Each structure stands twice: as structure tokens, then as C-alpha cells.
Amino acid sequence: MESCSGKTDGRMNHLQEWRQSCVDDQLTRLNVTPLLGDAPAQHLLYADAIQRRNDGRVSDGLLKRYAHIAAGGWWCSGIDLLSGEKDLWGCFKPDRPRQDGESSKTIKYEHPPKTPTGIFALRVPLHLWERIATKAGVTLTTEDQDPDQPDLGFWQWLMGHPEIPLVITEGAKKAGALLTAGYGAIALPGVHNGYRTPRNEQGQRIGKCQLIPALGKLATPGRQILIAFDQDSKPKTIQQVNLAIQRLGYLFSRQGCEVKVLQWEHHLGKGIDDVIANQGSDYLQQLASKALPLEIWKAHRLNRLTHNRGVEVEARYLPPLTISATEKLIALRSPKGTGKTEFLARIVRQAQAEHRPVLVIGHRIRLVQELCHRFQLPYVGDLPSSPLARQRGFGLCIDSLHGHSQAQFDPEQWQDCLIIIDEVEQVLWHGLNSDTCRRQRVAILRNLKQLLQHSLEGEGQIYVADADLTDVSLDYLISLSGIPLQPYVIRNHWQPGAEEAWPIYHFGENDPKQLVKQLLHHIREGGKPFVCLSAQKLTSAWGTRNLEAYLKKQFPDRRILRIDAESLSDPHHPAHGSLTNLNQVLADYDIVLSSPAVETGVSIDLQNHFTSVWGIAQGIQTATSVCQSLGRIRQNIPRYLWAASYGFNQVGNGATAISKFLTAGHRLTEVNIRLLQQSDLDNLDDLDTGFQAESLLCWAKMAVRINLAMVNYRESILGLLHQEGHQLLGPPPALP
């Protein structure tokens, strides 16, 4: 590969520029021409639709607009794939770019006006053609070459070989860098220029999007299409790029192509040419091997948080922050164990001092009770009959957000209140999907919508928090509010350092027997483990009750505490009521077995007691829930994890594409779809007209996200733990 650096004289600045993008010099000479004086205008202003004078000369106004191009620059054009001839269309990069009159942005590249945009199918020199063929495992013969063609027939050859992948990028230099590295590649002038949307004279859409004809020539069934657009950091740009990938990918998929999306970290380079220049062409092979299939990429992006108005901190524990009373939706994304609950407690105390009612919404009774204890508020089940007590506020599960519950919930009574939703991702998912909400789902979701609207009409505020907060939850709340809210996001970028990151040993066997063997050895050596399990029932071989019985036989002298839904609700069990003073209770036990009943909302700050945390994830919980369970113990002690490779607690038909999920014909899914549609309607007249409610779309996005993680269960869990900054160490040393 040519060097990405070098020196050249002033007459060849374009060569130096393209060389810095790792483009082969011969390829640059074949496609890029320096222009000066009248030549740039001759290349750009050729369209029949351009305004001209009676003598056929371009109008003075247009010439004035393009006067800057006479100072010189370079022109790039390639091959017209429809004719096989040299392409008339291209782009010009002026040495002295103009400013856009409306946005004041610098226009770096000029394209021929009044003519449809094309693509950059660059002419490829023979030595790069051979490199591309070799990388694809295709034998290149002299019969493949046509000396009468301006590109020797390269693009005709590529069209006839669907086994050769094609990379689509934005910008001619990036295509040049990819071709130089041995990849078939074309470039679009903009991310949305690969397809056209039919519109009438009023600009209204009158048909479906279609690939532009040039791309249609390359959309051979079976060809792998790799989309490699820039990795931008601006939310609006990211949104537009994602939309373009989704549309372009869908259109190629419809032609029978296998579409994948290349992704990389922004710090490696914004464009693919930057990545090649910074990391080398070998790294490009790694990116290509990890490219995500289009449907999985679409599901993965549901994990993103792109709302960025607010404040960013990097603190081990969240500091007090001054937040304007005019902010309506305040969102907190901060890693586990960084003091989110205490941060919210300060907000609650401030509201109470101002005599504002506070409503705390959760998804599990015990966890809401613990939050209420921290906030010094009553839980709805413990409310005295006095109306004054209700006016101060209370906590409840989202299951009770309807008029027939013990809360007798009426959203009109909560004007100007402070609403707290901790673990908001799970709370919304519970409301949208759980069996316990099914009978009252329509009422619950309508009341949630009315609650937000009544509260925000006045001086009310909503605080939501989650270690894994995403756009999905925020966008849903915004849609329910009925007003164009801009959330104020508090984002804590803290990650554990070497001294605080957990060492995590993980087992790769098909069952957790090796983990249990290591656990027994650990206990015999005097260890005090905290064990996180997926289930409670006797039918679960690795549930809390079976493992408790087994460990009692093995270690009759050890004090063992089982914490699950059954023991917490049994007034005669030592675990009963323990969530309110868990640190004190756990200090009396050598071994603790915990179900998902304490996976969220509980902080175990007991120090120097437990020596390890163990997890058996059988594929019932979500990947996020498993990580939260492992994080209940705040002390930095080793973690030992076995996770199933494939989760079986999928949603609906297990689809990882929203369209397939919503049209699968799964009976329970169809029932829930109808309920979710009803929840956002004032009447039921148009239920059967294809209406999609906000609740339905949010539910589908969350379900697809969960299903994707279930399909790649173990990898998803380990990926989240790595993302949190912990140390993945593989299996522990074998026992003697």
C-alpha cells in the first residue's frame, strides 16, 4: 500500500491531499484533475436546466455565484456505470470555498447544479484491480480486461462477480482509500444520495424510495454490501446518518443483497480513510469481519443515548447540581454505585421543603418500598387514611397506576408535582409488557400519559434515572407529554479505575457445574460468597431453593440466607423485611443466595464481609438485569459468572427486527399490540386502520433490544461488563 504521507511541489497539491487519505497516486491521477480559470465552470455548469442568456451563455448571476471557482481547485469524476463511459458528473473542490448565504457554512465541495447527483465509481489501475481480485479470491485473466473501456472494464467485471463485497462510503477520497486497500468501493456525494424519493411539484411524496440506477447495477443478489459512513459525534448528524443507513440498507436487502454496517470508535477517526491512515489497512480487515448485519445494527442502535443537552460530569459519586426549575424532563445516566439514589433524595428533600407533592414510580414492590424509605415517603400500601398524607406524596408500582388499585390513582390530582422514576428502562418495560399489568394496561398507560401532561402543564418536573438510559425511554416520555420537550441530561462518564474495576472470571461450559464446583471450594477455604441466581422455584436446578438445600447439606455449620420473592413475603423467614436494613441483616450470614428480587434499587455497602460475588444466569433475566445483580455488592471483590450462551426468555416470537416482531402472528404479541394501540387512543374507531401508537413503538423497540441480547446472551452480558470498565479474566485457575 502507498504511504499515507509524502512531499510534493505546489503544482500537485491534490496528490498530497489524496495521499494523506491513503489513496494510491496512480488512482488519484486517473480520477483527479487540477483546474484553473474557466475550466472549473466548464466542468460544473453544463446542465440544460441552468439559466442562460439568449446567446446560450450562462447567466451573469450564476457566473457571479460561482466566481470563486476560477481561483482553482481539483475536479474528480469516475465512470458512468450505466454507459460504461467517462462520467460527466463529478465534484469540484475549490481552493477558495464560498460561504452558504443562509447557514454561513463553508461549502467545501461543489457539484454540478440542476442535474441529479451521481456516484463516484473511480477508475482503478491494474495493480489495484489485481489486489481487489486477490483479496476476494477471484482469478483475474487478460480476457477480463477491455482496453477500449476507460476503466479497462473494471466495473463491468465487478458487476459480474457478486461474490466480491462492495463497500459504500461518502466522499470520493474515502472510496479511493478503500480501493487502494483492496476493497471494491464506491462513494456517494452525501449519505442520502444513494436513493430517490418520488415527489410531486409541491414536494409531497408520491411513491416509495428506490435505489438510484447506478447503484441498482451493483445490487446483484447475493452480494455483500458494507456501509461505511462517518462516525460522527453530533446527535442530529448521527440521526441523519442512521436514517440513511436504514433506508439504503433496506433497498439493497430488497434486491437480495446481504447488508452489513461497519462501525468504529470515533477516536480512531471520523471517516474510513482516517481509520486507514491512523490504524493501517490491516485494521480495516478487522472492522469488516466485525461488521453488523443490518437488522442487528438497527437493534444495537436502540441502546444509544444521543440527547446531549445538559451537563457532563466524571465523578465517583454524583455531586449536588443546580438544575433550573424551568427544566421539565431531567434525565440521569450514571454507572451503578455512583449515588443516583442519593442524588434523587436531595431533589425530593428540596421538593418537600417547597411543599410540592412527590410521586415515586417503580416496577417492584420491595424496591419501591426501599426508595420510599430513602426518600422518607410512605409506600402506597402503608398510607394512612388521612387525605393529607396523600397530598405529601407516596411511592407505588406502575402496576397501581389506575383507578381500581389500592392507590385509586387519579392523574388529575398530581398537577405541579415532582415525579421520580428510578430504573426507568425497566419501569417502562414492566408497564408495557409484564403479565401483572396486562388486565389494566390500557388504563395504566393512559394514566401515565395524563399524569405527565397534567404535571408538566404547571410547574411539575420529571426526574428519570438509569445506568443504561437510552433514547427509547426518553423519546417515549416526550411523546406521551404531548409537548416538544428537550430533556436535560446529566451524564456521568465515570468508570472504575484499576483499583475499582471488578475482576470477573467467567465460565464457558454448557452448564454451571464447574462454577458450583469452584464455589464449593471457595466456601471450604473460608470464603463468604454472595450468589446471584436467576430463579427461585424447585423446578429450577440452579434456583435459590435447590442450591440452598444443597449447600446446607454440604456446610451444615454455615449460616445461609435465601432472599427471593417467597422468603421476603414470609413473615416467619429471616429474610422478611430485610430490604430496609439489608446491610445489617447480611452481616450475620456466611452465604447469601439472592434471586432477581434484589437485582435493582438495592445498594449493599457492607465492607470486608463478603469475599466474592457469584452469578448463574440461565437466560431468564435480561443481560442488563444480570449486570445489575452482580453490582448490588458495592465492594470491589472478585466476580464469578456463568451465563447461558443463548437466552430463552425472549419476547413474542423472538424477532430482532421491529417490522418482523410486529407482524409475526404470535398470539400474546397480537393481544398486547391491541392493548398498546388502545392506550394511546381517545376512541377505538380507527384501531384497524394500521395505527401505531407511541406505546406500541416503544414496546417494540425494547422487545427487539431484549431479543437481540437473548440471541447473544453470554456475549451481551460480557459486553456490558466490559463497557462498564471491569476486567474480564476468563475462567479461574483449575482446581488442584
Side-chain angles (χ1 to χ4, degrees):
M1 179 175 172
E2 298 283 348
S3 169
C4 292
S5 62
K7 294 182 179 180
T8 178
D9 60 39
R11 292 171 297 171
M12 301 294 284
N13 283 336
H14 68 286
L15 265 182
Q16 173 66 8
E17 180 181 343
W18 281 62
R19 192 178 294 148
Q20 288 175 348
S21 287
C22 296
V23 182
D24 176 87
D25 280 356
Q26 192 174 340
L27 184 146
T28 303
R29 291 188 178 97
L30 286 172
N31 297 279
V32 184
T33 307
L35 299 176
L36 189 68
D38 294 335
Q42 294 171 6
H43 281 72
L44 282 172
L45 307 179
Y46 63 81
D48 293 337
I50 284 179
Q51 187 177 3
R52 300 178 183 274
R53 302 188 316 188
N54 291 336
D55 60 1
R57 186 170 178 265
V58 174
S59 68
D60 293 340
L62 197 60
L63 288 175
K64 183 178 180 181
R65 179 183 178 188
Y66 284 96
H68 64 289
I69 64 178
W74 55 253
W75 168 264
C76 175
S77 64
I79 297 296
D80 182 341
L81 296 186
L82 300 181
S83 67
E85 301 297 326
K86 181 179 178 181
D87 201 349
L88 186 62
W89 181 90
C91 77
F92 181 71
K93 185 180 182 184
D95 291 338
R96 298 176 185 174
R98 62 187 170 102
Q99 302 291 315
D100 180 78
E102 295 181 2
S103 64
S104 298
K105 288 184 178 180
T106 300
I107 300 176
K108 293 174 62 176
Y109 296 96
E110 301 282 1
H111 299 94
K114 302 294 183 179
T115 188
T117 55
I119 66 170
F120 296 101
L122 301 178
R123 289 184 285 278
V124 178
L126 185 58
H127 70 284
L128 293 186
W129 186 350
E130 292 172 340
R131 181 179 294 173
I132 292 166
T134 300
K135 182 178 284 292
V138 176
T139 301
L140 182 63
T141 67
T142 55
E143 286 79 13
D144 293 319
Q145 302 168 40
D146 184 354
D148 294 329
Q149 296 293 324
D151 64 340
L152 299 181
F154 170 81
W155 286 105
Q156 192 66 36
W157 170 82
L158 188 79
M159 290 177 202
H161 284 278
E163 70 273 27
I164 300 178
L166 178 70
V167 187
I168 298 180
T169 188
E170 179 193 13
K173 284 188 292 183
K174 295 173 185 134
L178 288 162
L179 289 163
T180 302
Y183 292 84
I186 61 96
L188 306 175
V191 294
H192 290 292
N193 292 131
Y195 49 86
R196 305 244 198 275
T197 304
R199 299 183 185 277
N200 59 22
E201 294 180 355
Q202 289 74 41
Q204 298 170 325
R205 181 171 174 167
I206 56 174
K208 295 181 179 180
C209 293
Q210 300 287 338
L211 287 174
I212 61 173
L215 288 188
K217 298 279 286 185
L218 296 165
T220 313
R223 189 186 301 279
Q224 186 179 94
I225 301 294
L226 300 170
I227 302 177
F229 290 159
D230 288 1
Q231 304 295 303
D232 214 289
S233 57
K234 299 176 182 177
K236 287 187 178 179
T237 305
I238 292 172
Q239 186 178 15
Q240 287 301 309
V241 170
N242 287 343
L243 178 61
I245 292 174
Q246 185 169 331
R247 287 180 177 172
L248 190 64
Y250 167 74
L251 294 172
F252 270 109
S253 298
R254 201 170 64 180
Q255 298 299 316
C257 298
E258 178 192 0
V259 181
K260 293 189 174 183
V261 183
L262 268 67
Q263 296 186 119
W264 58 90
E265 296 295 330
H266 180 74
H267 69 268
L268 298 176
K270 181 180 179 182
I272 193 67
D273 55 337
D274 300 321
V275 175
I276 296 172
N278 296 333
Q279 305 297 319
S281 57
D282 290 342
Y283 187 76
L284 184 59
Q285 181 64 39
Q286 296 181 39
L287 287 182
S289 66
K290 296 177 181 177
L292 295 177
L294 180 65
E295 294 298 342
I296 292 181
W297 169 83
K298 285 160 65 176
H300 265 298
R301 68 190 181 94
L302 297 176
N303 293 317
R304 294 184 175 184
L305 177 63
T306 59
H307 292 282
N308 66 348
R309 191 182 71 88
V311 62
E312 300 190 15
V313 299
E314 189 170 348
R316 176 64 184 86
Y317 295 104
L318 284 163
L321 296 171
T322 301
I323 300 169
S324 171
T326 61
E327 296 293 346
K328 292 295 186 180
L329 175 58
I330 300 93
L332 175 58
R333 177 167 174 164
S334 189
K336 304 173 186 69
T338 52
K340 291 190 295 297
T341 304
E342 179 53 37
F343 180 91
L344 293 174
R346 290 193 291 265
I347 304 299
V348 170
R349 289 194 292 269
Q350 180 181 341
Q352 290 173 330
E354 298 168 354
H355 304 290
R356 294 170 60 199
V358 179
L359 182 66
V360 179
I361 303 175
H363 70 298
R364 286 195 172 154
I365 293 174
R366 303 294 179 183
L367 303 184
V368 179
Q369 288 175 330
E370 173 62 17
L371 285 175
C372 288
H373 176 74
R374 295 279 296 273
F375 297 159
Q376 297 183 0
L377 284 171
Y379 176 69
V380 65
D382 303 322
L383 270 177
S385 56
S386 168
L388 292 176
R390 282 180 168 266
Q391 291 177 7
R392 181 167 170 261
F394 54 85
L396 79 172
C397 286
I398 193 170
D399 309 58
S400 298
L401 217 63
H402 61 90
H404 299 293
S405 70
Q406 62 179 338
Q408 298 179 334
F409 191 80
D410 180 359
E412 294 187 6
Q413 296 177 355
W414 294 92
Q415 190 132 6
D416 301 333
C417 73
L418 170 67
I419 301 170
I420 301 285
I421 310 179
D422 195 12
E423 309 289 358
V424 64
E425 296 276 331
Q426 294 190 62
V427 172
L428 293 179
W429 174 245
H430 188 82
L432 293 166
N433 189 71
S434 72
D435 285 340
T436 57
C437 291
R438 184 168 53 188
R439 290 186 178 179
Q440 296 291 341
R441 182 155 291 136
V442 174
I444 289 169
L445 296 178
R446 283 183 176 174
N447 277 345
L448 176 62
K449 185 173 188 174
Q450 292 174 26
L451 169 68
L452 301 184
Q453 293 175 351
H454 281 299
S455 178
L456 298 179
E457 281 174 358
E459 299 178 0
Q461 290 181 303
I462 308 167
Y463 275 78
V464 300
D466 204 293
D468 304 296
L469 185 67
T470 67
D471 288 336
V472 175
S473 290
L474 289 183
D475 291 343
Y476 179 50
L477 294 174
I478 292 169
S479 69
L480 293 185
S481 74
I483 56 177
L485 285 177
Q486 287 193 351
Y488 184 88
V489 180
I490 303 165
R491 196 188 307 242
N492 186 5
H493 294 285
W494 178 86
Q495 281 198 335
E499 296 181 355
E500 295 171 303
W502 308 334
I504 301 174
Y505 299 95
H506 54 95
F507 298 78
E509 294 83 7
N510 292 330
D511 60 52
K513 290 179 181 177
Q514 285 298 319
L515 178 141
V516 174
K517 186 178 179 181
Q518 292 268 2
L519 173 62
L520 296 177
H521 177 76
H522 181 73
I523 296 171
R524 291 191 191 102
E525 294 294 312
K528 293 184 176 182
F530 185 93
V531 186
C532 305
L533 302 168
S534 299
Q536 160 202 322
K537 297 179 181 179
L538 287 171
T539 53
S540 173
W542 311 104
T544 54
R545 293 174 65 183
N546 276 327
L547 195 56
E548 178 191 35
Y550 179 69
L551 292 179
K552 281 184 175 180
K553 288 182 181 179
Q554 297 292 320
F555 307 102
D557 58 332
R558 303 296 172 90
R559 294 165 297 174
I560 302 175
L561 180 65
R562 171 171 58 90
I563 306 178
D564 53 30
E566 182 186 69
S567 63
L568 288 169
S569 60
D570 182 357
H572 304 293
H573 196 283
H576 181 71
S578 62
L579 292 186
T580 57
N581 60 336
L582 202 54
N583 289 295
Q584 291 75 21
V585 172
L586 297 185
D588 294 330
Y589 291 90
D590 303 310
I591 303 169
V592 175
L593 307 175
S594 170
S595 79
V598 290
E599 74 184 15
T600 60
V602 175
S603 178
I604 302 173
D605 303 303
L606 188 61
Q607 296 291 311
N608 303 318
H609 179 73
F610 293 111
T611 57
S612 58
V613 177
W614 302 70
I616 297 178
Q618 300 181 68
I620 301 171
Q621 304 154 272
T622 65
T624 300
S625 296
V626 173
C627 297
Q628 288 177 328
S629 296
L630 295 175
R632 293 307 98 196
I633 300 287
R634 301 308 191 192
Q635 187 178 357
N636 184 10
I637 52 180
R639 265 70 172 171
Y640 298 82
L641 173 67
W642 177 87
S645 60
Y646 187 92
F648 59 84
N649 199 14
Q650 297 176 343
V651 186
N653 64 328
T656 55
I658 291 176
S659 58
K660 293 178 182 178
F661 177 79
L662 291 175
T663 58
H666 187 273
R667 187 181 65 82
L668 292 178
T669 300
E670 290 175 343
V671 170
N672 209 35
I673 285 174
R674 197 163 185 87
L675 292 175
L676 292 172
Q677 287 177 322
Q678 291 178 29
S679 69
D680 285 316
L681 290 172
D682 294 326
N683 61 71
L684 307 183
D685 293 339
D686 56 348
L687 262 184
D688 297 314
T689 61
F691 172 78
Q692 282 200 353
E694 295 96 338
S695 300
L696 175 60
L697 186 58
C698 181
W699 173 69
K701 288 179 178 179
M702 288 184 164
V704 163
R705 193 169 64 194
I706 290 171
N707 286 342
L708 177 64
M710 286 292 173
V711 171
N712 306 279
Y713 194 60
R714 182 182 298 155
E715 290 77 6
S716 296
I717 294 170
L718 295 177
L720 287 172
L721 292 169
H722 175 71
Q723 185 178 317
E724 291 173 4
H726 301 301
Q727 308 172 55
L728 301 180
L729 302 177
L735 294 174

